[in-house]
């Protein structure tokens, strides 16, 4: 009898296969500017970062890699972003299929989720949405770079396409050594990029819900409402905190006028959660802003999108759980709906395991390097959350340290969704229950 691979395991294997393919492509002599094969460690780290749409790099993307190499990197983060969106959505549908028909119908009625008969069209819809969004953004950026920054059409077109794909997929790769610092005062570049980052990172289920019921917020699913509310709160929190902590920092926002301070604070808040672009030197930020980044990068974006982290929905469910407990309520509720106990358990599990990965990664890097603890924590959370931002120490890490970050990128990008799916697919009712007892908590 032919063995059936568990869906969660199939996703992990698919990402591993893409990483292996990317490593081989980047090791080809025509991929590097030197004309020689890139070292296996450099090719592997870059492939992991691209497939996991993280954006961390140990070499300068614009000068180390040729046009062929940059194209290979773009292909990899396209596969990573599209693959994650499609895989997460399909796995969510498979979870619904694994339940009884009555439960599935109730779920569809309550959440207005994607229909079970739409499984075959999910990949096509995601692909069309991704390509259309990226094409529009690429055209806008190309025109702006040509007319506003004097680039030749060919260079402007390639830069616009690369950064559009990188932004929508929340990949954080840039062909400029300074990321987007040169565009720190250009709202016509940064605003479209922010929109692409949010659209790509908010999650396909939310986009699907908004497409069908954009005119009637009352009928949006609970997941959509929690994701949109959580995203709005995080963006405003990040925006206000960056303004407060960096307003007078002479190495970041200090030299800017008020308008540029507002623009770059908003961009930093958007990018910090998962995109990985920067318009100021991350290493020059205050320690308070670094701490803010810890929070934003760890949370990340929406489920079943191109964003990383433990996801906005996870944190929203936990917040509601804490709020209900503080109020003495027996049910966890929001927007006139109860949050099911399985979702609460899964959120707790994802958060705890994510925290364990970050702790283990931090301890490992502290053991392997002599860098300050705050910088190490920043790199670890950036890797786990697929944020891709760096204080500048990633290229200086020893090979073992870079391997730690590569593992964090992989588990952080693939592990949370496969874990959540495994929990649901593996759920079963026991034929017996033990006597209940209440241990002391707190």
């Amino acid at each position: 009898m032919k063995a059936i691979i568990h869906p969660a395991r199939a996703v992990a294997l698919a990402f591993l296969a893409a990483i292996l393919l990317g490593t081989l492509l980047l090791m080809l002599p025509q991929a590097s500017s030197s004309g020689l094969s890139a070292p296996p460690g450099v090719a592997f780290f870059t492939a992991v970062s691209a497939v996991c749409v993280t954006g961390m790099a140990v070499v300068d993307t614009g000068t180390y890699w040729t046009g062929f190499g940059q194209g290979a990197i773009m292909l990899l983060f396209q596969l990573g972003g599209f693959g994650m969106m499609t895989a997460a959505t399909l796995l969510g549908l498979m979870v619904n299929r694994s339940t009884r028909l009555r439960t599935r119908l109730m779920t569809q009625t309550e959440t207005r989720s994607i229909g079970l008969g739409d499984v075959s069209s999910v990949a096509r819809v995601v692909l069309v949405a991704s390509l259309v969004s990226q094409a529009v953004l690429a055209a806008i950026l190309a025109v702006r770079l040509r007319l506003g920054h004097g680039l030749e059409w060919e260079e402007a077109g390639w830069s616009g396409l690369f950064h559009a794909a990188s932004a929508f997929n929340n990949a954080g790769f840039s062909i400029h050594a300074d990321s987007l610092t040169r565009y720190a005062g250009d709202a016509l570049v940064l605003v479209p990029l922010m929109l692409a980052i949010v659209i790509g990172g908010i999650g396909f289920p939310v986009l699907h819900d908004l497409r069908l019921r954009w005119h009637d917020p009352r009928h949006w699913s609970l997941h959509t409402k929690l994701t949109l509310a959580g995203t709005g709160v995080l963006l405003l929190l990040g925006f206000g905190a960056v303004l407060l902590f960096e307003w007078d920092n002479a190495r970041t926002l200090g030299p800017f006028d008020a308008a540029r301070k507002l623009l770059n604070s908003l961009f930093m808040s958007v990018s910090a959660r998962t995109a990985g672009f920067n318009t100021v030197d991350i290493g020059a930020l205050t320690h308070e802003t670094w701490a803010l980044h810890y929070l934003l990068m760890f949370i990340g974006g929406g489920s079943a999108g191109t964003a990383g982290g433990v996801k906005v929905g996870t944190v929203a469910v936990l917040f509601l759980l804490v709020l209900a407990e503080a109020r003495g309520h027996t049910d966890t509720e929001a927007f006139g709906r109860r949050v099911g106990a399985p979702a609460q358990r899964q959120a707790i599990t994802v958060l705890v395991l994510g925290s364990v990965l970050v702790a283990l990664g931090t301890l490992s890097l502290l053991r392997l390097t002599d860098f300050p603890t705050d910088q190490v924590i920043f790199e670890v959370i950036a890797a786990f959350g697929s944020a891709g931002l760096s204080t500048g120490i990633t290229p200086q890490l020893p090979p073992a340290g870079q391997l730690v970050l590569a593992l964090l990128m992989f588990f952080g990008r693939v592990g949370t969704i496969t874990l959540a799916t495994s929990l649901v697919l593996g759920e079963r009712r026991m034929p017996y229950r033990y006597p209940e007892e209440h241990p002391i908590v707190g």
Side-chain angles (χ1 to χ4, degrees):
M1 182 177 178
K2 187 176 180 180
I4 299 177
I5 299 179
H6 190 285
R9 186 177 301 173
V11 171
L13 291 176
F15 272 76
L16 285 174
I19 290 171
L20 176 60
L21 172 63
T23 302
L24 295 176
L25 283 175
L26 293 176
M27 288 182 65
L28 295 175
Q30 56 264 44
S32 63
S33 301
S34 66
L36 303 174
S37 295
V42 172
F44 173 75
F45 188 93
T46 304
V48 173
S49 182
V51 172
C52 297
V53 288
T54 304
M56 280 186 158
V58 292
V59 294
D60 177 37
T61 304
T63 57
Y64 188 90
W65 304 107
T66 61
F68 174 84
Q70 294 172 19
I73 291 172
M74 186 171 69
L75 171 64
L76 293 175
F77 61 64
Q78 288 278 25
L79 288 175
F82 171 70
M84 178 56 69
M85 292 178 72
T86 306
T89 303
L90 289 173
L91 286 173
L93 291 170
M94 293 178 69
V95 169
N96 286 340
R97 279 185 176 277
S98 69
T99 59
R100 293 178 300 174
L101 177 60
R102 180 183 176 187
T103 304
R104 282 187 280 155
L105 293 175
M106 289 176 61
T107 301
Q108 286 181 289
T109 300
E110 290 297 318
T111 67
R112 287 160 290 278
S113 60
I114 302 170
L116 296 177
D118 296 336
V119 177
S120 61
S121 65
V122 168
R124 183 173 63 255
V125 173
V126 176
L127 177 62
V128 171
S130 301
L131 295 183
V132 169
S133 299
Q134 293 177 45
V136 172
L137 176 59
I140 293 174
L141 292 179
V143 171
R144 178 57 184 168
L145 294 177
R146 174 69 180 94
L147 301 180
H149 296 271
L151 300 183
E152 295 297 328
W153 277 115
E154 182 178 357
E155 184 181 0
W158 173 244
S159 180
L161 176 61
F162 189 94
H163 288 100
S166 185
F168 182 84
N169 288 287
N170 283 221
F173 277 93
S174 174
I175 56 177
H176 305 313
D178 60 355
S179 189
L180 300 179
T181 302
R182 64 188 64 187
Y183 306 124
D186 194 341
L188 295 180
V189 171
L190 298 186
V191 171
L193 286 173
M194 283 190 280
L195 291 175
I197 292 168
V198 173
I199 293 172
I202 206 168
F204 177 70
V206 174
L207 296 179
H208 181 84
D209 202 16
L210 294 178
R211 181 176 67 88
L212 296 179
R213 287 172 284 273
W214 61 271
H215 58 284
D216 191 2
R218 295 175 302 170
H219 291 91
W220 291 350
S221 69
L222 179 58
H223 170 74
T224 296
K225 293 177 180 178
L226 289 179
T227 301
L228 291 178
T231 298
V233 169
L234 290 173
L235 289 178
L236 290 176
L237 172 66
F239 172 65
V242 170
L243 277 179
L244 175 64
F245 298 144
E246 300 297 326
W247 185 273
D248 294 322
N249 187 345
R251 299 173 62 193
T252 56
L253 299 185
F256 296 165
D257 57 31
R260 291 179 68 187
K261 287 181 179 180
L262 293 173
L263 174 65
N264 285 271
S265 295
L266 181 59
F267 186 86
M268 197 180 305
S269 177
V270 172
S271 182
R273 290 177 46 234
T274 183
F277 291 121
N278 62 280
T279 56
V280 298
D281 181 9
I282 298 298
L285 296 174
T286 63
H287 291 282
E288 293 87 349
T289 307
W290 278 0
L292 171 69
H293 276 67
Y294 299 163
L295 173 66
L296 297 179
M297 293 189 300
F298 185 74
I299 294 175
S303 301
T306 60
V310 296
K311 302 298 188 296
V312 174
T314 300
V315 176
V317 169
L318 291 173
F319 173 79
L320 293 173
L321 176 60
V322 172
L323 189 62
E325 187 66 25
R327 290 176 172 178
H329 294 179
T330 56
D331 292 328
T332 301
E333 303 166 337
F335 301 106
R337 291 290 186 270
R338 286 185 292 111
V339 179
Q344 298 175 41
R345 294 196 303 268
Q346 292 154 22
I348 293 172
T349 303
V350 170
L351 184 72
V352 169
L353 290 185
S355 301
V356 170
L357 283 173
V358 169
L360 291 177
T362 301
L363 291 174
S364 299
L365 283 191
L366 288 175
R367 178 70 176 174
L368 294 169
T369 70
D370 295 324
F371 290 111
T373 302
D374 51 1
Q375 285 186 291
V376 169
I377 293 175
F378 193 101
E379 305 294 310
V380 167
I381 298 180
F384 169 78
S386 299
L389 295 172
S390 173
T391 60
I393 68 173
T394 296
Q396 305 174 48
L397 294 175
Q402 293 176 3
L403 178 60
V404 170
L405 291 185
L407 291 173
L408 285 168
M409 285 189 280
F410 180 78
F411 288 121
R413 193 73 177 104
V414 180
T416 52
I417 182 62
T418 54
L419 169 63
T421 305
S422 297
L423 288 172
V424 178
L425 289 176
E427 185 176 1
R428 55 195 173 94
R429 289 187 177 276
M430 301 299 292
Y432 56 87
R433 299 182 72 183
Y434 290 110
E436 184 175 302
E437 192 169 335
H438 299 278
I440 299 175
V441 177

